[in-house]
Each structure stands twice: as structure tokens, then as C-alpha cells.
Amino acid sequence: MRIASATTIVACIGLLSGCAGMGPYAPTPGKTPVPCAGATCQVKVTLHITTSPFSCSVDVDPETLDVSKGPSSKTLNWTFAVVADGSQTPIDLKAAIKFGFNANGVISTPVPSETSVSATYTRPSTGGHTYGYAVWVPVGANLCKKDPWVVD
């Protein structure tokens, strides 16, 4: 069990560090950013999992979150739901949300709980930034992933 957990952690760290340097990033063309002007911005993440044969997909709603209006400090909260084919599929949210390097000092390190992940956004002095992030959720030996956005 320890070896499997360590392997999963090493694989996730390798994926995180390997993809963090890629770019340039841009939100999906044609997707309109969804504004959040309140103090808390909710993002719904749904994992669709089929176990035999294994397949998974990730839906993020909204895919692009606009935090340019409202308070300069906001809580970003991702709530996770699993739609599985009837089998019990535990998920690990320890490294589920990972922002690129340009979010340093703007978006805090995401903090996982049992079914959600939260972070604090603090608006920089100038807006117009795009922060790409990854939703990476290990499911057994597999990885479910999606690359959504936060803009200001």
C-alpha cells in the first residue's frame, strides 16, 4: 500500500512539474468567462468515471472564471462530485488544483478538504491577467485531468 501511494505521489509530482513550464496558455476560444463579483466564487468539478474498461473525463463549470469585479480578495472554492458506473471510486484531492507560476502571490496554495478545494485570490494592482490551472485527480493508477482558467 505504501509503495502504491508513493508511486502515485511521485507520478503526480512529475506531471505537475513537467506541465508547469508549458505555455503560452490561453482560455478555450469561444468560451465566455463567467463573472464572479462576490466574496466567494464557486466552481463545480464533476468527474465522470467508468471502471471497466477505465475511462474518465472532467467537467469544470465554469471553465473560465472572471474575478475582475467585486472585492479584491476572494475565496475560490472548487466542489468535486463523482459520477461513476456503480462501483465505489475513492478520489484523492491532495494535489487536485495546481496553478501555473504566474499565479504566485495572487492565488494562494489550494487547500483540500474531503470534497472540495479552496484558495484565496488577491487582485494585483493591474488586471488583465490569465491564470491557467490544472484539475488533476488520481483515480487508482489513472489520472483524470482538465485545464481551466481564472481571469482578472
Side-chain angles (χ1 to χ4, degrees), residues 23-141:
Y25 295 113
T28 307
K31 293 275 187 178
T32 302
V34 174
C36 173
T40 301
C41 303
Q42 298 291 336
V43 179
K44 182 179 177 185
V45 179
T46 306
L47 302 168
H48 300 273
I49 300 169
T50 303
T51 55
S52 184
F54 182 83
S55 69
C56 70
S57 63
V58 179
D59 291 328
V60 178
D61 183 25
E63 190 170 316
T64 303
L65 178 66
D66 182 348
V67 293
S68 62
K69 305 289 187 234
S72 61
S73 180
K74 300 174 184 270
T75 298
L76 307 180
N77 190 55
W78 293 266
T79 303
F80 286 76
V82 177
V83 177
D85 60 4
S87 59
Q88 192 71 334
T89 308
I91 59 171
D92 180 1
L93 299 180
K94 285 186 216 127
I97 304 292
K98 174 69 175 166
F99 277 89
F101 292 114
N102 73 324
N104 288 346
V106 178
I107 299 173
S108 68
T109 300
V111 177
S113 69
E114 191 170 317
T115 60
S116 66
V117 176
S118 62
T120 301
Y121 163 83
T122 304
R123 186 175 298 124
S125 58
T126 60
H129 301 91
T130 300
Y131 308 100
Y133 67 97
V135 177
W136 288 346
V137 181
V139 179

